[in-house]
């Protein structure tokens, strides 16, 4: 309450200063210009001439300044003039009496003169020094040198939450509403964080044996895997205050502002200990320092302050710093050393079991029909993050509402998988019959090459319905179980499957289309990884020819070899892709009749399941169907 009253007083002082400045500005600049537009200046001799001609009707004399204001004419014809009294003119009074004009003199007191002098000359100086003092006091407090920061109010605050304030959002642990039971698919990460929770709840057990809690834990993983959710769960489990801030909020235009925010953040944390500080996207402020010319003084000062605070606070009070990033390779080494971020906790994409657990967790908030097979959905979504899976359940619920149902079905979830992966069905795109036929053969080519391989990734769906992602169709494969290792032969089979669409177009229509662009890109990427990173090239053997960029953000690899070797790498990549293309052509020639049969069936139905596809492929009709010559 006292703080609020102080803010109000400071706001009132500021408003009074602004109002006084406005009045003085009006008095000094505006009013004289207005008056000068109505009162005409004239010389003293002209004034005496008009007095002698009896044109002057009224005269006012200011004895303190010698200013004379007089009026001529009457009514609408009256005019007002201004002149200055000639010194020692004793004849003026008699002339005015003879002309019949009325006149008066104003004789101000000495005290009035002094007050007017003070108002005109000293008040602006007082206002300037008073405003400077108030602003200086405000800046000191904002920079953390003299207590907490305050706002002037009325929109005159300097920055959100005040200059130098951290801007961190404080939430009580129990108010986060999140515990470890709300996190699925990250069992290893939860186990690593449970020890931190135990320390925050029972610090005396660790103090008794002489152990200390890790000062910080760095959560590392791709976007959408639940790093922020885990940090909130730690606060919810420990029931301690939770300070959340993004790394970008420390970055300021003026040098020193970011460091002041770091100081304020840790000051608040010390007052509320035990507590948790969570810095999201810490790579924004924690990037490696550069000794070159391209330095950022503000960012480096902020990082130095963060390093000092993490190394200097008393960890026994129960302050734990959690941070999240998907660019760990860009962080400064001093930030990662023991004593600052003691633990690095991977928060990876969920495996098959994890995906199923995440789907079930989010499905608990939605009304579902009985018998939904979450395991089948999990097999269809390799590489999906927790955020993707949550979005799939939500999309399924939205689809159920659109279809007029009160519960989500298996069909809704499977359609939502397609929506998240490939986009919504595109109603505005209408393919011609020939284009539809080409796409049907293209997708059937992928499916047949995939089915005859022994890579254990059966086809689960084929569709030729255009999607908003730009795909005119797609073939979905579902792994039967989780795969952690991939052989050279399996990579070559994947390349062959990707070449199956283009091979079908060449085999049936004798020409190529642009529909294979994405397939070619993926096949080339796999072949290049085999040569430069995985040591799966017969020509180069176990030799690393490139460095992988950030794997959490989908970065590829960068060659680290000579120009001549780079040309040889291109030749080897080309050889692998051409080998896959030849395999696809050979497979489709051997299954030409099934290619026709399934493609025509797909063209008619537009979407078929993996079961339908396999039934047709494995069915022995006993005769060769008649189709036009390719």
């Amino acid at each position: 309450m006292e703080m609020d009253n102080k803010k109000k007083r400071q706001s009132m002082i500021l408003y009074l200063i602004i109002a006084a400045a406005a009045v003085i500005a009006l008095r000094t600049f505006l009013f004289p210009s207005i008056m000068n537009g109505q009162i005409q200046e004239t010389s003293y001799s002209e004034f005496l001439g008009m007095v002698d001609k009896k044109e002057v009707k009224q005269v006012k004399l200011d004895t303190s300044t010698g200013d004379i204001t007089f009026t001529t004419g009457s009514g609408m014809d009256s005019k007002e003039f201004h002149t200055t009294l000639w010194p020692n003119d004793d004849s003026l009074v008699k002339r005015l009496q003879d002309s019949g004009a009325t006149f008066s003199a104003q004789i101000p007191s000495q005290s009035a003169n002094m007050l007017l002098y003070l108002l005109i000359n000293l008040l602006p100086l007082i206002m300037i020094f008073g405003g400077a003092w108030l602003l200086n006091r405000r800046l000191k407090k904002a920079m953390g040198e003299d207590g907490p920061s305050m706002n002037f109010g009325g929109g005159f605050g300097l920055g959100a939450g005040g200059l130098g304030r951290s801007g961190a959002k404080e939430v009580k642990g129990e108010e986060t509403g999140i515990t470890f039971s709300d996190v699925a698919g990250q069992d290893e990460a939860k186990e690593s964080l449970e020890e931190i929770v135990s320390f925050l709840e029972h610090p005396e057990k660790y103090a008794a044996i002489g152990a200390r809690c890790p000062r910080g834990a760095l959560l590392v993983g791709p976007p959408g895997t639940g790093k922020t959710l885990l940090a909130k769960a730690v606060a919810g489990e420990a029931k301690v205050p939770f300070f959340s801030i993004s790394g970008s909020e420390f970055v300021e235009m003026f040098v020193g502002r970011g460091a002041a925010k770091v100081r304020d953040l840790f000051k608040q944390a010390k007052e509320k200990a035990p507590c948790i500080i969570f810095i999201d996207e810490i790579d924004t402020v924690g990037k490696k320092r550069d000794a070159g010319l391209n330095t950022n003084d503000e960012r480096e000062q902020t990082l130095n302050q963060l390093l000092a605070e993490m190394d200097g606070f008393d960890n026994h009070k129960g302050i734990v710093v959690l941070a999240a990033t998907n660019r760990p390779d860009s962080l400064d080494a001093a930030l990662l050393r023991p004593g600052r971020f003691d633990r690095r906790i991977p928060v990876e994409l969920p495996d098959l079991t994890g995906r199923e657990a995440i789907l079930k967790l989010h499905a608990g908030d939605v009304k579902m029909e009985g018998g939904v097979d979450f395991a089948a959905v999990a097999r269809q979504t390799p590489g999906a993050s927790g955020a993707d899976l949550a979005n799939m359940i939500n999309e399924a619920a939205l689809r159920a509402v659109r279809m007029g149902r009160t519960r989500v079905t298996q069909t809704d979830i499977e359609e939502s998988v397609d929506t998240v992966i490939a986009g919504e069905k595109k109603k505005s795109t209408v393919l011609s019959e020939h284009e539809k036929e080409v796409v049907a053969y293209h997708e059937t080519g992928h499916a047949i090459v995939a089915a005859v391989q022994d890579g254990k990734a059966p086809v689960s769906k084929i569709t030729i319905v255009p999607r908003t992602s730009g795909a005119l169709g797609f073939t979905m494969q579902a792994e039967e179980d989780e795969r952690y290792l991939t052989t050279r032969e399996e990579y070559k089979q994947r390349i062959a499957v990707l070449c199956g669409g283009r091979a079908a177009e060449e085999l049936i229509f004798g020409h190529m289309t642009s529909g294979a662009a994405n397939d070619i890109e993926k096949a080339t990427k796999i072949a290049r990884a085999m040569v430069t990173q995985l040591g799966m090239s017969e020509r180069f053997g176990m030799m690393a020819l490139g460095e992988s960029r950030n794997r959490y953000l989908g970065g590829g690899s960068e060659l680290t070899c000579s120009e001549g070797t780079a040309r040889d790498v291109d030749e080897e990549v080309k050889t692998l892709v051409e080998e896959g293309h030849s395999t696809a052509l050979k497979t489709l020639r051997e299954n030409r009749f099934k290619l026709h049969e399934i493609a025509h069936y797909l063209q008619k139905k537009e979407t078929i399941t993996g079961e339908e596809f396999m039934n047709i492929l494995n069915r022995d009709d006993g005769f060769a169907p008649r189709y036009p010559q390719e």
Side-chain angles (χ1 to χ4, degrees):
M1 182 62 70
E2 182 180 353
M3 188 74 69
D4 292 339
N5 292 335
K6 200 166 185 179
K7 286 182 180 180
K8 291 180 180 178
R9 287 197 299 271
Q10 289 190 343
S11 298
M12 185 60 69
I13 292 173
L14 181 65
Y15 291 143
L16 289 175
I17 291 175
I18 293 173
V23 170
I24 291 177
L26 290 173
R27 173 68 179 85
T28 305
F29 301 106
L30 184 60
F31 291 161
S33 63
I34 295 175
M35 297 300 294
N36 289 338
Q38 297 175 350
I39 301 176
Q40 299 181 28
E41 289 288 337
T42 186
S43 64
Y44 186 70
S45 59
E46 291 177 351
F47 162 64
L48 293 179
M50 285 187 279
V51 169
D52 294 339
K53 294 178 182 178
K54 298 183 178 183
E55 295 176 355
V56 177
K57 302 299 182 183
Q58 187 176 9
V59 179
K60 293 181 181 179
L61 172 64
D62 189 338
T63 58
S64 63
T65 61
D67 290 337
I68 297 176
T69 304
F70 62 94
T71 306
T72 63
S74 59
M76 298 295 293
D77 297 331
S78 65
K79 294 181 180 180
E80 194 169 5
F81 296 87
H82 173 265
T83 188
T84 303
L85 177 66
W86 189 263
N88 302 320
D89 186 359
D90 298 332
S91 64
L92 177 60
V93 175
K94 184 164 187 339
R95 285 187 175 188
L96 291 174
Q97 290 175 340
D98 293 341
S99 68
T102 59
F103 57 93
S104 62
Q106 180 181 359
I107 306 175
S109 63
Q110 291 297 322
S111 60
N113 284 338
M114 183 62 66
L115 180 62
L116 182 62
Y117 175 81
L118 291 174
L119 286 174
I120 294 175
N121 296 285
L122 296 182
L123 184 59
L125 296 176
I126 294 172
M127 289 173 55
I128 291 172
F129 283 109
W133 173 83
L134 191 61
L135 181 60
N136 183 57
R137 180 180 175 83
R138 172 72 176 83
L139 289 172
K140 282 185 177 181
K141 290 183 178 181
M143 297 300 288
E145 299 175 9
D146 190 19
S149 159
M150 302 177 196
N151 286 325
F152 286 129
F156 290 95
L158 297 178
L163 182 65
R165 295 285 284 177
S166 68
K169 303 178 184 69
E170 180 188 354
V171 181
K172 293 182 180 179
E174 58 272 15
E175 292 179 359
T176 62
I178 299 173
T179 62
F180 283 147
S181 61
D182 299 307
V183 183
Q186 297 294 345
D187 296 336
E188 293 81 4
K190 287 197 291 187
E191 288 177 6
S192 299
L193 293 170
E194 280 173 355
E195 194 169 59
I196 295 176
V197 174
S198 176
F199 174 84
L200 293 172
E201 289 179 334
H202 309 290
E204 66 280 355
K205 292 194 307 183
Y206 296 87
I209 200 173
R212 65 172 180 82
C213 181
R215 293 180 185 271
L218 185 65
L219 305 175
V220 179
T225 51
K227 298 183 290 295
T228 304
L229 188 68
L230 278 167
K232 291 182 179 179
V234 172
E237 289 283 346
K239 296 181 175 57
V240 296
F242 180 77
F243 292 90
S244 175
I245 190 170
S246 173
S248 61
E249 295 182 49
F250 288 118
V251 181
E252 295 285 350
M253 186 191 324
F254 303 106
V255 175
R257 289 275 303 272
K261 288 188 173 186
V262 173
R263 287 194 297 271
D264 182 75
L265 173 61
F266 280 86
K267 181 181 178 182
Q268 293 179 65
K270 291 173 185 176
E271 294 171 354
K272 297 294 180 71
C275 65
I276 292 173
I277 297 174
F278 176 63
I279 305 175
D280 198 9
E281 305 296 344
I282 194 172
D283 52 274
T284 307
V285 69
K287 288 182 181 177
K288 294 177 182 177
R289 287 165 290 185
D290 186 7
L293 297 176
N294 298 324
T295 59
N296 185 322
D297 289 339
E298 164 61 8
R299 184 179 59 77
E300 290 193 3
Q301 285 196 21
T302 305
L303 173 59
N304 290 336
Q305 187 65 45
L306 180 61
L307 295 173
E309 293 289 347
M310 290 190 67
D311 204 33
F313 70 80
D314 185 4
N315 189 245
H316 289 284
K317 292 182 179 179
I319 301 175
V320 177
V321 182
L322 299 180
T325 182
N326 43 41
R327 300 181 60 192
D329 54 311
S330 68
L331 295 180
D332 194 90
L335 196 62
L336 300 176
R337 73 159 175 83
R340 291 197 176 105
F341 284 109
D342 302 90
R343 289 189 177 180
R344 176 167 169 164
I345 302 176
V347 188
E348 302 287 349
L349 293 171
D351 57 13
L352 180 61
T353 305
R355 292 196 298 273
E356 184 177 354
I358 293 172
L359 288 168
K360 289 180 178 178
L361 175 67
H362 291 289
D365 300 327
V366 178
K367 292 182 179 180
M368 309 286 295
E369 271 193 354
V372 174
D373 189 357
F374 292 107
V377 179
R379 285 194 296 271
Q380 294 176 7
T381 54
S385 66
D388 293 331
L389 297 169
N391 192 27
M392 290 173 189
I393 295 295
N394 186 60
E395 287 289 343
L398 294 175
R399 185 177 187 275
V401 173
R402 286 197 302 268
M403 302 301 291
R405 290 191 293 271
T406 57
R407 291 186 178 274
V408 176
T409 65
Q410 182 82 25
T411 304
D412 293 326
I413 298 179
E414 291 178 353
E415 183 60 35
S416 72
V417 171
D418 297 345
T419 299
V420 173
I421 293 175
E424 292 277 358
K425 291 181 179 179
K426 200 168 183 180
K427 299 178 181 178
S428 60
T429 301
V430 180
L431 299 178
S432 65
E433 285 301 318
H434 175 67
E435 287 180 326
K436 194 173 181 181
E437 184 181 18
V438 172
V439 175
Y441 274 98
H442 181 106
E443 298 304 332
T444 304
H446 284 308
I448 290 177
V449 176
V452 300
Q453 304 288 345
D454 57 356
K456 298 181 180 179
V459 175
S460 61
K461 178 186 286 189
I462 313 173
T463 180
I464 58 172
V465 177
R467 297 279 172 167
T468 53
S469 63
L472 299 179
F474 62 88
T475 300
M476 182 180 291
Q477 293 178 260
E479 294 283 355
E480 294 179 349
D481 52 15
E482 197 70 18
R483 307 290 295 276
Y484 298 100
L485 294 175
T486 306
T487 65
R488 181 174 185 267
E489 288 68 28
E490 288 170 346
Y491 276 127
K492 293 175 70 174
Q493 289 172 3
R494 290 183 186 180
I495 295 175
V497 172
L498 289 167
C499 295
R502 169 61 65 84
E505 294 176 9
E506 295 174 344
L507 185 64
I508 303 302
F509 302 101
H511 58 70
M512 307 174 187
T513 70
S514 60
N518 186 248
D519 301 330
I520 295 171
E521 181 181 350
K522 291 180 179 178
T524 305
K525 186 176 181 180
I526 293 173
R528 188 169 293 278
M530 291 173 65
V531 175
T532 61
Q533 295 176 266
L534 303 176
M536 293 182 177
S537 166
E538 295 179 356
R539 183 170 183 177
F540 295 104
M542 294 178 58
M543 180 178 178
L545 301 172
E547 288 183 351
S548 59
R549 292 191 289 267
N550 194 323
R551 65 188 184 96
Y552 293 128
L553 296 178
S557 62
E558 184 176 352
L559 290 179
T560 57
C561 55
S562 65
E563 293 184 6
T565 304
R567 285 193 293 269
D568 294 337
V569 167
D570 291 338
E571 288 295 327
E572 187 72 5
V573 170
K574 180 181 177 183
T575 300
L576 286 171
V577 175
E578 287 180 346
E579 183 180 339
H581 182 242
S582 299
T583 301
L585 278 172
K586 180 177 180 294
T587 302
L588 293 178
R589 286 195 181 101
E590 293 172 353
N591 296 273
R592 180 181 305 169
F593 298 124
K594 290 297 181 181
L595 174 62
H596 285 300
E597 185 177 1
I598 296 172
H600 288 180
Y601 182 71
L602 176 61
Q603 186 178 356
K604 180 180 179 181
K605 289 199 65 176
E606 293 190 341
T607 300
I608 62 176
T609 65
E611 185 178 359
E612 290 177 284
F613 165 75
M614 293 304 297
N615 287 339
I616 300 174
L617 184 64
N618 294 328
R619 184 174 61 204
D620 187 4
D621 296 319
F623 66 93
R626 297 176 182 172
Y627 294 107
Q629 292 294 322
E630 293 83 359

